[in-house]
């Protein structure tokens, strides 16, 4: 069974040179679960006969980890040192592939259902992917190339047969790995000699034919765009950390609406108002409502401008906005004058005005139209400074850095200028990082740290990595230099920059990939992974022990922290020692070697937990969360630290209170922490909400609640005009279902409800809603989705892995085992096929994603349907013509896509890829983009299996082969 020590021991033996990669692979196979005594690589006993063993446990997880370690050894330069060793490794991998394809998970031997068996078995599929990646890694080395060029006839046939079988199994999956293996096979002429009678043909032909035949008989009905679809999608974008990428969002909308730009704009605006309305009726927190409102007012208008700028067709924005506002619930968004005749004032009475003024600011509508659209005189005017532009703001801040503070004060305003401010502040921070102007950078980071909602605004326009990667790089490369001046200032600057990185990390539960960290030696990575754990004194280096002793003396023995104690220890060394320093100090206090008041006075805001002496620990903790005297900048830092640590502390304290209910010194600390509990924004749900979803009279728990929500969304989409108020919805429910019962069970529930809705006549709407629920972005896979999207235009862009089994992954696995489902439940199999097709349509990636459009520079030259004084009549006629021709209903049938910029770019990209592939030589075959001109398909089974493989080193996924020749 899985034992993490076995791969570790094997890897250490290989590192020490006791065994080589080929020996490891050969012996591993002979003891693997997939061992077959009839295979020529059977383990022979002392008498020369094959050894028979009974398998009661599975070695596949261990096998996979050891194979991944072998791949790591090769990519890190610890592979075979001679050509013979590389040849032996290729042969060992070939034997593994042959043995794996000859193995049956059921134990009944190869049969016609082999294909579904291997790829339907998670661990076997992971080994299958790891073997392919190992082949590509070895082929990228000098010894690997020499080995492939000097194979004997038998070795060439042996490896060729394995490669042919491997790539045949991958047939139909457009993944870079398959493309690279095809290139290796072609460039080195690795063929077995009888390609038409490969191993796979005899074992999988019948299944493939049956599945293909079934799929060919499944006919899709016209795709329907339901009102609930975008309502769900925008909820998902904003349920936790804002998951907004302009190019990806526009691509999704184009896929969804197929070139019907008017309908796309109208439904996008309507859905955003629906989300805000739903938030009010659900009594969402003020911070959540702020984010919904900011998306509508600050994000949506510039995005609509971007949409217009990237489309060849002129979009009559004023008409779209007019029609959208007519579909907004007047009870939720009354006019300002109407609030005086209502029972109490509506909290959303001025949202329409804010939205329209932002639209006017971004030149989507003329300012003169605002009064007509509102039906009354507006209660506000355009900002005095008009529309901000990034370049102008950067110039202002370079001339006067105090302008940055002014802009940060206005970043949360609902005036439509937040995007330009975020662009300018981010670029300024990048410039300061490159110039190492850390004093100014410190001030900006401190300003951001004390504005939690400003962080939300920033992520509406920028990815976390685009903001934080330069900061992480600066912290990693920070050099300790006597010329830097006073060491206290250096520590302050370093600490402020580090604090904003940690604040982002904990507020949104960011991964190293989200932060833009790609080096395993990164200081920030080490701090985030191990900084909270104290180390044993025996494990410290001499330098660390000296630093630890110096800091203990400075804190508790000397008169204070001196410049000398700082100069001997860099900030990176200090922060990696903080947990150990705190732990040792607490132990000294408990042992009576340091007075409590001395200990409390020695620390400002570092938090810990200990139960060796609860009374001492809780007294110190109370002093830390509510210090007797703190002011100025330290007070702001202290608040930020409490925001970061409050939830962890609260959980620990409540656990202690449960075990020691008589203690009275816990509640005062919890009371202090209470105001800081809402800092995090991850899409997680609270226990009260979770219990409500679990408690169903009919049973079924979370899955049944999700099905009920699904049903209410279908009902509302059937005729949304009957009730303008959207049904209660939060994407937290779906995330909670996936987190608590797993993606596979949630998917089964969605398909069950889809089947029921199809039988009752609402199948078309239900397909759109189910597909949107499945493809809606989630934080765990968002960075992977971004990488896949960008890789379509840049083959060298690294594709990270996603360890989270998403609903898309679950549907792909369901699709991969379609052969059995066809026999047991053909109706359900048909639903899976149609749902997968709909998902592929919504998630398809263009081969050349559009680059960033600089709207500020081109807005003046693009006709946006607003027009000047010389063309009002022409504009009016155009709006009327489009209005007469457009579909007035809320449900839209999407037909063929008309010719537009996206289609033209796609066609040009396809032609270019076809051209480049046609003339590629041996080197370009290995170094190419790995997509073979076919693009990248999202949601296919094997692609997702490779992405889900548990690899400790993400660089193995994207192997850089440049320079190998």
């Amino acid at each position: 069974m899985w034992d993490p020590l076995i791969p570790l021991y094997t890897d250490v033996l290989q590192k020490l040179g006791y065994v080589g990669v080929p020996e490891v692979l050969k012996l591993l196979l002979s003891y693997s679960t997939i061992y077959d005594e009839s295979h020529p690589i059977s383990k022979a006993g002392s008498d020369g006969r094959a050894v028979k063993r009974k398998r009661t446990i599975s070695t596949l997880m261990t096998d996979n980890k050891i194979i991944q370690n072998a791949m790591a050894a090769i990519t890190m330069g610890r592979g075979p040192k001679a050509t013979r060793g590389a040849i032996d490794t290729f042969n060992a991998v070939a034997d593994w592939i042959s043995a794996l394809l000859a193995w049956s998970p059921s134990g009944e031997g190869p049969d016609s259902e082999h294909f579904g068996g291997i790829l339907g078995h998670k661990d076997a599929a992971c080994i299958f992917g790891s073997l392919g990646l190992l082949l590509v890694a070895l082929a990228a080395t000098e010894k690997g190339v020499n080995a492939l060029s000097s194979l004997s006839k038998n070795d060439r046939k042996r490896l060729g047969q394995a490669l042919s079988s491997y790539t045949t199994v991958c047939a139909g999956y457009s993944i870079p790995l398959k493309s690279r293996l095809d290139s290796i096979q072609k460039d080195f002429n690795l063929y077995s000699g009888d390609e038409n009678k490969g191993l796979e043909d005899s074992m999988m032909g019948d299944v493939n034919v049956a599945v293909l035949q079934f799929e060919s008989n499944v006919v899709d009905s016209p795709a329907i765009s339901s009102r609930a679809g975008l309502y769900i999608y925008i909820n998902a974008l904003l349920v936790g950390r804002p998951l907004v990428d302009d190019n990806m969002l526009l691509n999704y909308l184009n896929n969804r609406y197929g070139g019907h730009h008017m309908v796309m704009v109208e439904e996008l605006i309507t859905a955003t108002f629906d989300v805000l309305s739903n938030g009010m009726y659900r009594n969402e927190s003020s911070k959540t409502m702020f984010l919904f409102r900011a998306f509508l007012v600050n994000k949506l208008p510039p995005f609509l401008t971007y949409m217009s700028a990237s489309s060849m067709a002129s979009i009559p924005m004023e008409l779209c906005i007019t029609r959208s506002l007519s579909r907004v619930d007047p009870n939720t968004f009354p006019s300002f004058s109407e609030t005086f005749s209502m029972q109490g004032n509506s909290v959303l009475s001025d949202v329409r005005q804010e939205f329209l003024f932002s639209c006017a600011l971004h030149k989507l509508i003329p300012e003169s139209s605002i009064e007509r659209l509102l039906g009354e005189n507006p209660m506000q005017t355009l900002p005095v400074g008009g529309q901000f532009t990034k370049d102008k703001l950067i110039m202002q801040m370079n001339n006067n850095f105090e302008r940055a503070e002014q802009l940060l004060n206005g970043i949360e305003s609902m005036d439509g200028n937040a995007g330009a401010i975020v662009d300018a502040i981010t670029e300024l921070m990048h410039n300061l990082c490159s110039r190492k102007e850390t004093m100014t950078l410190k001030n900006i980071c401190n300003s951001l740290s004390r504005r939690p909602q400003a962080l939300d605004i920033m992520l509406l326009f920028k990815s976390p990595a685009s903001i934080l990667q330069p900061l992480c790089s600066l912290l990693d490369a920070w050099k300790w230099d006597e010329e830097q001046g006073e060491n206290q200032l250096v520590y302050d600057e370093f600490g402020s920059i580090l604090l904003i990185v940690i604040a982002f990390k904990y507020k949104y539960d960011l991964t190293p990939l989200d932060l833009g960290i790609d080096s395993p030696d990164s200081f920030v990575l080490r701090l985030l992974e191990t900084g909270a754990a104290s180390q044993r004194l025996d494990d410290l280096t001499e330098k660390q022990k000296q630093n630890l002793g110096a800091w203990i003396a400075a804190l508790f023995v000397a008169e204070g922290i001196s410049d000398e104690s700082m100069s001997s220890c860099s900030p990176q060394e200090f922060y990696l020692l903080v947990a150990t320093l705190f732990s040792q100090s607490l132990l000294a206090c408990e042992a009576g070697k340091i007075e409590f008041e001395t200990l409390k006075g020695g620390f400002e805001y570092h938090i810990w937990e200990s139960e060796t002496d609860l009374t001492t620990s809780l007294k110190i903790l109370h002093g830390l969360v509510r210090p007797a005297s703190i002011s100025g900048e330290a007070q702001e830092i202290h608040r930020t630290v409490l925001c970061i640590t409050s939830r962890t502390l609260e959980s620990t304290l409540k656990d202690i209170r449960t075990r020691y209910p008589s203690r009275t010194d816990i509640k005062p600390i919890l009371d202090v922490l209470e105001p800081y509990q809402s800092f995090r924004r991850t899409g997680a749900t609270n226990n009260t909400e979770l219990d409500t979803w679990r408690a169903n009279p009919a049973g079924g728990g979370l899955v049944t609640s999700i099905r009920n929500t699904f049903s209410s969304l279908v009902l509302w989409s059937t005729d949304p005009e009957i009730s303008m108020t959207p049904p209660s919805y939060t994407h937290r429910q779906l995330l909670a279902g996936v987190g608590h019962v797993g993606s596979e069970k949630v998917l089964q529930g969605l398909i069950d409800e889809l089947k029921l809705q199809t039988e009752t006549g609402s199948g078309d709407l239900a397909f759109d809603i189910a597909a949107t629920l499945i493809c809606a972005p989630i934080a765990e896979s968002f960075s992977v989705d971004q990488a896949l999207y960008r890789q379509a235009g840049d083959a060298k862009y690294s594709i990270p892995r996603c360890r989270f089994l998403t609903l898309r992954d679950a549907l792909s696995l369901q699709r991969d085992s379609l052969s059995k489902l066809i026999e047991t439940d053909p109706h359900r199999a048909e639903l899976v096929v149609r749902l997968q097709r709909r998902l592929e349509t919504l998630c398809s990636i263009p081969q050349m994603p559009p680059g960033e459009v600089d709207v500020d520079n081109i807005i003046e030259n693009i006709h946006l349907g607003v027009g000047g004084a010389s063309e009002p009549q022409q504009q009016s006629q155009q709006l009327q013509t489009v209005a007469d021709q457009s579909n007035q209903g809320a449900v839209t049938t999407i037909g063929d896509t008309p010719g537009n910029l996206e289609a033209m770019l796609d066609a040009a990209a396809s032609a270019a890829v076809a051209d480049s592939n046609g003339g590629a030589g041996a080197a370009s075959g290995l170094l190419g983009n790995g997509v073979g001109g076919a693009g990248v398909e999202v949601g296919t089974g094997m692609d997702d299996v490779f992405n889900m493989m548990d690899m400790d080193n993400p660089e193995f996924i994207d192997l850089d082969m440049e320079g190998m020749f």
Side-chain angles (χ1 to χ4, degrees):
M1 64 182 64
W2 167 245
D3 181 350
L5 289 178
I6 295 175
L8 182 61
Y9 289 145
T10 307
D11 191 46
V12 171
L13 288 171
Q14 197 272 329
K15 286 179 181 176
L16 295 175
Y18 291 110
V19 292
V21 171
E23 289 79 18
V24 170
L25 294 175
K26 287 178 182 178
L27 290 171
L28 185 66
L29 177 60
S30 63
Y31 287 95
S32 171
T33 294
I34 67 170
Y35 165 86
D36 183 351
E37 64 181 24
S38 64
H39 197 275
I41 307 300
S42 299
K43 174 69 178 175
S46 57
D47 58 358
R49 296 196 298 188
V51 178
K52 295 183 179 180
R53 295 187 302 279
K54 290 184 178 180
R55 292 288 175 198
T56 58
I57 54 177
S58 172
T59 67
L60 296 185
M61 290 180 68
T62 302
D63 295 343
N64 186 47
K65 183 60 180 173
I66 293 176
I67 291 172
Q68 290 177 6
N69 286 345
M71 178 171 51
I74 290 170
T75 58
M76 293 179 178
R78 293 190 285 107
K81 303 300 182 185
T83 301
R84 183 67 254 174
I87 292 175
D88 290 343
T89 304
F90 279 123
N91 286 335
V93 175
D95 291 337
W96 262 98
I97 292 173
S98 298
L100 185 62
L101 292 178
W103 175 69
S104 172
S106 64
E108 300 172 356
D111 52 36
S112 62
E113 293 189 2
H114 172 77
F115 176 73
I118 288 294
L119 296 190
H121 193 288
K122 180 181 176 182
D123 293 333
C126 285
I127 292 178
F128 188 75
S130 297
L131 291 169
L133 291 171
L134 193 154
L135 271 175
V136 174
L138 184 56
T141 65
E142 180 184 355
K143 298 303 178 186
V145 173
N146 293 340
L148 292 173
S149 303
S150 57
L151 291 174
S152 67
K153 183 178 179 181
N154 287 337
D155 288 342
R156 186 174 299 278
K157 182 176 181 179
R158 184 178 181 181
L159 182 57
Q161 184 174 4
L163 278 172
S164 297
S165 300
Y166 194 102
T167 54
T168 304
V169 171
C170 290
Y173 298 95
S174 179
I175 55 175
L177 175 60
K178 177 184 179 299
S179 183
R180 291 179 181 181
L181 290 175
D182 283 336
S183 298
I184 292 172
Q185 189 170 18
K186 176 183 177 182
D187 296 334
F188 293 96
N189 194 28
L190 301 174
Y191 296 102
S192 62
D194 189 4
E195 299 306 307
N196 294 325
K197 295 182 180 179
L199 178 66
E200 188 273 338
D201 286 344
S202 61
M203 292 189 280
M204 302 188 303
D206 294 340
V207 175
N208 273 340
V209 169
V211 172
L212 291 173
Q213 211 168 32
F214 178 83
E215 287 187 336
S216 66
N217 292 325
V218 175
V219 179
D220 293 319
S221 56
I224 296 294
S225 174
S226 66
R227 180 164 177 174
L230 269 188
Y231 173 60
I232 295 167
Y233 200 84
I234 295 174
N235 256 293
L237 291 180
L238 305 176
V239 67
R241 157 186 139 212
L243 303 174
V244 184
D245 182 301
D246 285 1
N247 289 327
M248 290 174 60
L249 178 57
L250 182 57
N251 180 67
Y252 170 80
L253 292 171
N254 282 329
N255 291 340
R256 181 177 179 81
Y257 292 98
H260 293 255
H261 294 102
M262 275 194 65
V263 178
M264 180 165 67
V265 172
E266 290 171 23
E267 296 200 353
L268 180 59
I269 297 172
T270 303
T272 307
F273 273 100
D274 284 342
V275 168
L276 192 55
S277 171
N278 173 61
M280 190 195 75
Y281 285 120
R282 285 182 53 82
N283 293 317
E284 294 284 359
S285 70
S286 60
K287 293 183 178 180
T288 296
M289 294 299 291
F290 170 84
L291 182 59
F292 290 166
R293 194 167 187 162
F295 182 83
L296 174 69
V297 177
N298 279 320
K299 177 63 184 179
L300 192 55
F303 178 75
L304 294 175
T305 303
Y306 167 58
M307 183 186 296
S308 297
S310 61
S311 172
M312 288 187 68
S314 177
I315 304 176
M317 284 294 178
E318 185 172 350
L319 176 62
C320 294
I321 293 169
T322 301
R323 292 177 55 180
S324 299
L325 292 179
S326 70
R327 298 163 67 182
V328 169
D329 185 358
N331 296 319
T332 311
F333 304 98
S335 66
F336 187 81
S337 59
E338 287 173 334
T339 60
F340 293 100
S341 60
M342 298 172 62
Q343 293 292 329
N345 293 338
S346 169
V347 296
L348 299 179
S349 61
D350 56 346
V351 171
R352 290 190 306 160
Q353 289 193 43
E354 292 172 340
F355 172 68
L356 290 174
F357 272 96
S358 181
C359 288
L361 185 74
H362 290 276
K363 300 181 175 61
L364 295 170
I365 59 173
E367 188 175 357
S368 58
S369 297
I370 296 178
E371 182 177 345
R372 178 184 62 80
L373 290 168
L374 283 176
E376 62 181 0
N377 293 325
M379 301 302 297
Q380 62 188 73
T381 59
L382 286 174
V384 176
Q387 183 180 1
F388 292 170
T389 61
K390 178 186 71 175
D391 295 336
K392 289 181 181 178
L393 294 180
I394 291 175
M395 186 181 301
Q396 292 173 8
M397 290 187 292
N398 285 333
N399 294 331
N400 178 14
F401 283 120
E402 292 182 0
R403 176 62 171 151
E405 183 72 19
Q406 295 172 359
L407 291 173
L408 285 172
N409 287 332
I411 200 171
E412 298 170 24
S413 301
M414 298 293 171
D415 60 7
N417 272 320
I421 296 175
V422 170
D423 284 345
I425 292 291
T426 303
E427 186 159 326
L428 176 64
M429 291 170 67
H430 291 186
N431 293 338
L432 293 173
C433 285
S434 63
R435 299 197 301 262
K436 294 184 171 55
E437 295 184 21
T438 51
M439 176 59 79
T440 305
L441 185 60
K442 167 200 164 183
N443 294 334
I444 293 176
C445 290
N446 284 344
S447 294
L448 281 174
S449 295
R450 61 176 179 262
R451 293 180 172 88
Q453 290 186 212
L455 307 189
D456 293 341
I457 295 291
M458 293 191 77
L459 293 194
L460 286 178
F461 298 92
K462 297 288 182 181
S463 69
S466 68
I467 300 169
L468 302 174
Q469 193 276 332
L471 299 179
C472 293
S473 297
L474 178 65
L475 294 170
D476 289 342
W478 196 290
K479 298 297 183 184
W480 194 239
D481 190 345
E482 293 181 359
E483 297 179 0
Q484 289 178 299
E486 188 180 345
N487 293 305
Q488 175 67 45
L489 295 178
V490 174
Y491 262 74
D492 288 347
E493 292 162 11
F494 187 94
S496 293
I497 297 168
L498 178 61
L499 184 61
I500 191 64
V501 173
I502 295 176
F504 265 104
K505 192 267 185 237
Y506 283 97
K507 181 174 175 65
Y508 304 110
D509 194 22
L510 301 178
T511 66
L513 176 65
D514 297 326
L515 293 169
I517 300 174
D518 55 8
S519 170
D521 299 322
S522 164
F523 153 74
V524 177
L525 179 61
R526 284 186 291 144
L527 181 68
L528 295 177
E529 290 185 344
T530 64
S534 63
Q535 304 174 62
R536 297 191 315 147
L537 294 181
D538 292 343
D539 294 335
L540 299 178
T541 65
E542 286 302 317
K543 179 68 163 60
Q544 287 176 316
K545 289 178 181 178
Q546 291 174 6
N547 289 336
L548 183 62
W551 273 101
I552 289 178
L555 287 168
F556 308 121
V557 180
E559 294 183 357
I561 301 172
S562 66
D563 207 53
E564 181 182 352
S565 60
M566 291 184 180
S567 64
S568 63
C569 179
S570 71
Q572 292 102 323
E573 293 171 326
F574 168 75
Y575 279 101
L576 291 173
L577 274 180
V578 165
T580 306
L581 173 61
F582 204 101
S583 175
Q584 292 296 318
S585 303
L586 179 62
L587 290 173
C589 180
E590 292 172 350
K593 297 187 177 181
I594 297 179
E595 294 295 327
F596 170 73
E597 290 301 325
T598 303
L599 178 66
K600 192 174 76 168
F603 293 105
E604 289 184 5
Y605 52 82
H606 296 298
I607 309 300
W608 96 123
E609 52 192 68
S610 169
E611 288 191 45
T612 54
D613 182 352
L614 276 178
T615 301
T616 301
S617 300
L618 292 171
K619 282 176 65 179
I620 294 174
L621 185 56
H622 189 274
L624 290 173
V625 299
R626 177 173 273 177
S629 175
I630 188 170
S631 60
E633 187 176 287
Q635 188 174 26
E636 296 295 339
I637 292 173
H638 183 261
R639 287 173 183 161
T640 304
V641 173
L642 286 181
C643 285
I644 293 170
T645 58
S646 60
R647 285 206 177 182
T648 303
L649 280 174
E650 182 197 43
S651 176
T652 302
L653 288 169
K654 285 184 176 179
D655 180 60
I656 295 173
R657 188 174 61 180
T658 301
R659 287 182 281 130
Y660 303 97
S662 62
R663 297 199 70 99
T664 59
D665 49 359
I666 297 176
K667 186 178 184 301
I669 304 175
L670 289 172
D671 292 341
V672 174
L673 296 175
E674 177 61 30
Y676 303 97
Q677 295 298 309
S678 61
F679 176 72
R680 298 199 80 188
R681 184 158 195 85
T682 61
T685 188
N686 58 56
N687 289 332
T688 302
E689 198 171 42
L690 188 62
D691 290 342
T692 302
W693 293 329
R694 284 172 168 164
N696 287 305
L702 266 170
V703 174
T704 298
S705 291
I706 292 171
R707 286 189 61 179
N708 292 339
T709 301
F710 185 176
S711 176
S712 68
L713 291 167
V714 174
L715 181 63
W716 179 57
S717 295
T718 303
D719 194 349
E721 304 305 327
I722 293 178
S723 173
M724 290 186 174
T725 304
S728 178
Y729 181 79
T730 174
H731 207 66
R732 291 193 298 271
Q733 185 184 38
L734 194 71
L735 297 180
V738 171
H740 285 267
V741 302
S743 296
E744 292 176 319
K745 287 187 178 179
V746 172
L747 178 67
Q748 294 306 322
L750 293 177
I751 295 177
D752 289 340
E753 187 62 31
L754 177 61
K755 186 176 181 180
L756 178 63
Q757 294 292 336
T758 303
E759 292 168 351
T760 56
S762 300
D764 291 342
L765 287 170
F767 267 107
D768 180 67
I769 293 171
T772 306
L773 288 168
I774 293 170
C775 77
I778 58 173
E780 288 82 355
S781 65
F782 192 65
S783 294
V784 177
D785 295 339
Q786 287 181 307
L788 285 169
Y789 184 84
R790 290 174 184 147
Q791 195 227 25
D794 182 0
K796 295 179 183 177
Y797 196 91
S798 175
I799 301 179
R801 71 190 184 280
C802 176
R803 296 186 179 185
F804 185 84
L805 185 68
T806 66
L807 288 170
R808 270 185 270 181
D809 298 329
L811 182 61
S812 295
L813 294 175
Q814 182 86 275
R815 166 64 184 78
D816 288 340
S817 23
L818 199 62
S819 56
K820 293 181 179 178
L821 194 58
I822 291 172
E823 297 177 1
T824 58
D825 192 343
H827 184 199
R828 194 181 190 86
E830 180 182 339
L831 295 178
V832 169
V833 171
R834 292 179 61 190
L835 189 57
Q836 179 74 17
R837 288 175 183 172
R838 178 65 174 154
L839 201 68
E840 288 171 352
T841 299
L842 291 175
C843 299
S844 64
I845 302 174
Q847 289 184 341
M848 294 180 64
E852 293 292 339
V853 178
D854 191 348
V855 177
D856 292 335
N857 292 333
I858 65 174
I859 190 73
E860 300 296 337
N861 299 319
I862 292 189
H863 175 62
L864 298 176
V866 178
S870 61
E871 54 177 291
Q873 185 175 1
Q874 177 186 357
Q875 178 193 348
S876 176
Q877 292 173 350
Q878 179 192 27
L879 295 182
Q880 186 59 45
T881 301
V882 177
D884 293 341
Q885 294 175 349
S886 61
N887 182 2
Q888 298 291 331
V891 178
T892 307
T893 303
I894 305 302
D896 297 332
T897 305
N900 53 30
L901 178 60
E902 289 81 2
M904 294 168 64
L905 286 173
D906 288 346
S910 299
V913 172
D915 268 352
S916 63
N917 286 347
S924 63
L926 276 173
L927 305 177
N929 60 14
V931 295
V936 180
E937 297 175 10
V938 177
T940 52
M942 283 302 296
D943 297 58
D944 292 332
V945 168
F946 290 133
N947 283 338
M948 288 187 292
M949 287 191 300
D950 182 14
M951 297 184 178
D952 290 340
N953 296 287
E955 62 267 24
F956 304 154
I957 297 295
D958 187 63
L959 301 166
D960 186 3
M961 301 183 185
E962 287 193 355
M964 61 177 286
F965 296 106

